[in-house]
Amino acid sequence: FKGHKNWVTSVYFSPDGKTILTGSYDNTARLWDLQGNVLQVFKGHKDWITSVSFSPDGKTILTGSHDKTARLWDLRGNCLQIFKGHNDGVTSAVFSPDNKTILIDYTDKTACFWDLQGNILQEFKGHESIVVSADFSPNGKFILTGSYDKTVRLWDLQGNCLQVFKGHDN
């Protein structure tokens, strides 16, 4: 899989396993077939891409960037929505299991729950350092966030921290 002009920062299989998505320091994401052919290049971010993911139905993709935005794309490379509103870079961006909302982490120590129309539904605040990873529970009712503060936090969708998991040394 050759074609990016800089480091690859994120990879993701499509739900059907027939394609993969990559993001890079070259400010692009690429959709590939399994033989290494580029099917689509996603251009529009102004800084390196930190995160790529497919929607659960495989019809759209989500990219997060150090340019302080996440973008929702169709598979033809058309940007459907830009998620912006934070003054720091995006570290990760994922879809909810029902494909109706997304979760975006930021270097400003927060995560945000968004609808696909670009509205923030809830902010998750409490980490003492950059939030670098997040995911929805399989039923979509809870969120986990991981941070450089060496903790993982379990949240409900209303922004209430239900549990702090401590124990990592770094």
Side-chain angles (χ1 to χ4, degrees):
F1 297 90
K2 294 182 180 180
H4 282 294
K5 295 180 173 73
N6 211 323
W7 298 334
V8 174
T9 56
S10 185
V11 296
Y12 207 94
F13 268 105
S14 63
D16 65 8
K18 295 181 180 178
T19 57
I20 63 168
L21 186 60
T22 59
S24 171
Y25 259 62
D26 67 9
N27 305 351
T28 69
R30 293 172 188 256
L31 181 66
W32 310 77
D33 66 21
L34 297 181
Q35 290 71 46
N37 300 305
V38 175
L39 304 174
Q40 186 63 49
V41 178
F42 301 86
K43 295 180 181 178
H45 282 292
K46 307 288 187 237
D47 207 337
W48 55 284
I49 292 180
T50 56
S51 176
V52 295
S53 63
F54 273 95
S55 60
D57 65 9
K59 294 181 180 178
T60 55
I61 67 161
L62 187 60
T63 57
S65 172
H66 198 65
D67 71 4
K68 306 173 188 168
T69 70
R71 292 174 184 248
L72 179 69
W73 309 82
D74 66 21
L75 298 181
R76 295 182 310 274
N78 300 308
C79 184
L80 306 174
Q81 185 63 256
I82 300 174
F83 302 91
K84 57 184 175 181
H86 273 256
N87 293 323
D88 284 337
V90 172
T91 54
S92 75
V94 295
F95 286 93
S96 62
D98 68 3
N99 204 50
K100 294 181 180 176
T101 56
I102 61 170
L103 183 61
I104 303 173
D105 303 338
Y106 298 92
T107 57
D108 69 358
K109 307 176 192 174
T110 65
C112 287
F113 181 42
W114 298 74
D115 66 20
L116 296 181
Q117 292 71 46
N119 303 301
I120 294 177
L121 303 174
Q122 185 62 54
E123 285 192 318
F124 301 88
K125 295 182 178 183
H127 281 289
E128 296 174 10
S129 190
I130 295 170
V131 179
V132 292
S133 182
D135 200 10
F136 286 92
S137 63
N139 65 7
K141 294 183 180 182
F142 301 98
I143 290 171
L144 280 176
T145 56
S147 170
Y148 282 177
D149 68 9
K150 306 175 197 168
T151 68
V152 173
R153 293 175 184 254
L154 175 67
W155 309 83
D156 65 19
L157 298 183
Q158 291 71 45
N160 300 305
C161 183
L162 305 175
Q163 181 70 41
V164 178
F165 300 91
K166 296 178 181 179
H168 285 289
D169 296 328
N170 207 337

